[in-house]
């Protein structure tokens, strides 16, 4: 049918005479019959087609060992976008990448922990290696040092057990002190009193003077600054130096002091400030707290002649004073201790809480000889000794 239409179109171009469709029917049949006869007579030629190329991915996964490997094609320098517009180009296989997922915090911490463990293990191995090398290098020196080492004997100090000594009565303590005074000289009996006063408070410092009834009599030069009747009483009591303004001018001009104790009346205290620097250098400046500024000049001079003893609290709130010689009898030492306790009570600061005579003021009292041990004395026996001294010597 297609051939018939082609023939008809060509005849029209060549201006051939018009033929009807009925006239062409036998021609069509003849053509069809002729074509059939030709097809029956001519042999059919076999047609061969090129083999379809296999997928390269399948070839990589399942290589065929029987066929030789094809030569590799040269790689194209074109990009993927350019290759889409080029004809007869081999198909580009899609490339797939594995999906990347952000690690969870737990996984990240585990990873960091693993890395740290690995680093620590590596550092430990390195340190062991360095230590092993150092041992090898220092081994000869260590052996030599050990050979030269000489062991010394171990001294074990004995443990001293602190035994709490009992608190003794005053007379018993005096007997023990006299029994332990075994030196070649006449030892001094000393008293040590711990006071319950804060040493930082300067207004509560305890100081004073006392006259021991049985003290060692020494030659003491006494000076009295007074005029009028007071000066006459001082001379009658035995004062070595008595004077007023003239004596002050003499000391100010010469700067010399030839006396051991100094007393003054209240009226002369203002004039003594002129020579206060000189008197303070020798510790002789009159002071009302020490009893050197007094109205009773006669009593002060007599006590000074008998042998007065100064006492003062130190930085550790302890008062140290000598109360006699070990050669004195027990009763005489008791009277001296009573006189000291009476003066200590009189020197009690006014700012201290007054609960009783001794509570909060005297914490402990010990007596000892110069080279002997100390013994603690009870407060009750000290109170009895002070009362005895006041009755016998003060009220008499």
């Amino acid at each position: 049918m297609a051939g018939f239409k082609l023939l008809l179109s060509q005849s029209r171009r060549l201006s051939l005479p018009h033929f009807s469709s009925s006239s062409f029917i036998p021609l069509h049949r003849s053509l069809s019959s002729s074509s059939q006869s030709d097809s029956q007579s001519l042999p059919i030629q076999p047609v061969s087609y090129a083999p379809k190329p296999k997928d390269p991915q399948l070839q990589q996964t399942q290589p065929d060992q029987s066929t030789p490997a094809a030569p590799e094609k040269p790689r194209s320098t074109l990009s993927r976008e350019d290759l889409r517009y080029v004809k007869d180009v081999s198909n580009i296989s899609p490339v797939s990448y594995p999906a990347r997922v952000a690690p969870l915090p737990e996984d990240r911490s585990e990873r960091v922990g693993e890395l740290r463990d690995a680093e620590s293990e590596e550092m430990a191995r390195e340190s062991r290696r360095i230590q092993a090398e150092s041992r090898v290098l220092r081994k000869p020196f260590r052996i030599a040092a050990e050979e030269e080492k000489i062991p010394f004997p171990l001294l074990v100090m004995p443990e001293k057990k602190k035994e709490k000594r009992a608190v003794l009565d005053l007379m018993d303590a005096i007997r023990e002190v006299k029994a332990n005074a075994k030196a070649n000289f006449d030892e001094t009996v000393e008293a040590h009193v711990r006071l319950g006063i804060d040493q930082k408070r300067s207004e509560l410092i305890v100081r004073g003077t006392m006259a021991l009834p049985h003290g060692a009599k020494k030659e003491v030069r006494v000076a009295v600054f007074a005029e009028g009747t007071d000066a006459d009483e001082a001379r009658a009591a035995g004062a070595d130096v008595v004077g007023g303004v003239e004596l002050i001018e003499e000391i100010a001009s010469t700067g010399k002091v030839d006396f051991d104790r100094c007393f003054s009346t209240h009226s002369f205290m203002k004039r003594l400030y002129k020579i206060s620097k000189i008197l303070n250098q020798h510790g002789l400046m009159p002071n009302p707290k020490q009893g050197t500024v007094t109205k009773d000049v006669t009593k002060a001079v007599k006590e000074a002649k008998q042998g007065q003893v100064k006492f003062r609290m130190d930085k550790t709130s302890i008062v140290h004073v000598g109360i006699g010689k070990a050669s004195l009898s027990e009763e005489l030492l008791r009277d001296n201790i009573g006189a000291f306790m009476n003066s200590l009570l009189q020197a009690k600061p006014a700012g201290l809480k007054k609960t009783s005579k001794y509570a909060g003021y005297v914490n402990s009292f010990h007596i000892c000889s110069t080279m002997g041990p100390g013994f603690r004395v009870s407060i009750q026996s000290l109170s009895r000794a002070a009362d005895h001294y006041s009755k016998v010597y003060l009220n008499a």
Side-chain angles (χ1 to χ4, degrees):
M1 189 64 181
F4 177 71
K5 289 181 179 180
L6 179 63
L7 182 62
L8 182 60
S9 62
Q10 289 178 359
S11 63
R12 288 178 179 174
R13 291 179 181 177
L14 296 174
S15 300
L16 293 178
H18 179 69
F19 294 97
S20 59
S21 61
S22 61
S23 61
F24 278 98
I25 294 172
L27 181 60
H28 174 67
R29 289 177 180 175
S30 63
L31 289 172
S32 63
S33 62
S34 62
S35 62
Q36 290 177 1
S37 62
D38 293 338
S39 63
Q40 292 176 359
S41 60
L42 293 173
I44 299 171
Q45 296 293 332
V47 179
S48 61
Y49 298 95
K52 185 178 180 181
K54 294 183 179 180
D55 192 357
Q57 293 181 357
L58 295 174
Q59 288 182 1
Q60 291 178 3
T61 55
Q62 298 178 359
D64 190 2
Q65 299 179 359
S66 61
T67 59
E72 294 182 357
K73 294 182 180 180
R75 294 183 179 179
S76 176
T77 58
L78 301 176
S79 62
R80 291 179 178 272
E81 294 183 358
D82 298 337
L83 290 174
R84 289 189 301 174
Y85 303 101
V86 180
K87 192 177 179 181
D88 299 332
V89 179
S90 60
N91 296 330
I92 299 172
S93 60
V95 179
S96 61
Y97 297 97
R100 298 185 65 183
V101 182
L104 296 174
E106 295 83 0
D107 301 339
R108 190 177 299 170
S109 62
E110 292 178 359
R111 181 64 178 169
V112 170
E114 292 176 358
L115 293 174
R116 288 180 179 174
D117 295 341
E119 291 178 358
S120 62
E121 290 179 0
E122 186 177 357
M123 292 178 67
R125 286 195 298 270
E126 185 68 17
S127 64
R128 285 195 294 270
R129 184 183 66 78
I130 293 171
Q131 290 177 1
E133 291 178 356
S134 64
R135 289 195 197 96
V136 172
L137 293 174
R138 296 178 182 178
K139 193 172 182 181
F141 300 100
R142 286 185 177 179
I143 292 171
E146 289 177 358
E147 289 178 355
E148 295 177 359
K149 199 172 187 179
I150 300 173
F152 290 95
L154 183 61
L155 299 177
V156 180
M157 299 299 293
E159 296 182 358
K160 295 182 179 179
K161 295 182 180 179
K162 295 183 179 180
E163 298 180 358
K164 292 184 178 180
R165 295 185 178 181
V167 181
L168 303 178
D169 187 76
L170 178 59
M171 297 302 293
D172 296 336
I174 292 173
R175 295 189 192 98
E176 293 290 337
V177 169
K178 289 176 66 65
N180 287 276
K182 300 177 181 179
N184 296 329
F185 58 93
D186 192 5
E187 299 184 30
T188 302
V189 179
E190 302 171 359
H192 307 276
V193 186
R194 182 178 293 277
L195 303 178
I197 297 175
D198 188 4
Q199 61 269 22
K200 296 180 181 179
R201 299 182 61 181
S202 59
E203 72 275 8
L204 299 180
I205 293 178
V206 176
R207 66 179 73 180
T209 58
M210 62 176 178
L212 297 177
H214 310 287
K217 293 183 180 181
K218 296 181 181 179
E219 293 184 1
V220 179
R221 289 181 60 84
V222 179
V224 178
F225 291 92
E227 288 181 348
T229 57
D230 293 332
D232 297 336
E233 292 178 359
R235 292 189 186 94
D240 299 300
V241 180
V242 180
V245 180
E246 298 175 357
L247 181 60
I248 293 173
E249 294 295 336
E250 182 183 353
I251 294 172
S253 60
T254 58
K256 295 181 180 179
V257 176
D258 60 346
F259 46 85
D260 301 320
R261 299 297 304 274
C262 179
F263 295 92
S264 173
T265 58
H266 292 279
S267 60
F268 261 85
M269 280 302 297
K270 295 180 181 180
R271 301 178 185 180
L272 287 178
Y273 287 112
K274 186 176 181 180
I275 58 173
S276 60
K277 187 175 180 180
I278 300 172
L279 295 177
N280 281 324
Q281 290 177 356
H282 299 275
L284 297 174
M285 184 65 185
N287 191 340
K289 293 183 179 180
Q290 295 181 358
T292 52
V293 179
T294 179
K295 295 179 181 179
D296 193 354
V297 180
T298 304
K299 179 181 178 182
V301 172
K302 288 182 178 180
E303 290 179 351
K305 285 291 185 178
Q306 289 178 359
Q308 283 190 341
V309 179
K310 294 182 180 180
F311 60 89
R312 178 186 173 90
M313 184 182 75
D314 62 3
K315 296 180 179 180
T316 58
S317 300
I318 300 176
V319 177
H320 311 275
V321 67
I323 55 175
K325 295 294 182 178
S327 58
L328 296 176
S329 63
E330 299 174 4
E331 290 76 11
L332 298 182
L333 289 174
R334 181 194 61 186
D335 295 341
N336 287 349
I337 292 173
F340 169 61
M341 290 305 299
N342 185 56
S343 301
L344 191 65
L345 291 173
Q346 290 178 359
K348 185 177 181 180
L352 196 65
K353 293 181 181 179
K354 295 182 179 180
T355 53
S356 66
K357 283 186 178 181
Y358 301 95
Y361 181 46
V362 178
N363 289 343
S364 63
F365 188 98
H366 292 76
I367 59 172
C368 66
S369 60
T370 304
M371 305 297 291
F375 300 92
R376 188 170 181 177
V377 183
S378 63
I379 303 296
Q380 293 80 5
S381 60
L382 292 172
S383 179
R384 291 194 297 268
D387 296 339
H388 176 74
Y389 170 79
S390 61
K391 290 178 182 179
V392 175
Y393 294 94
L394 298 181
N395 299 330

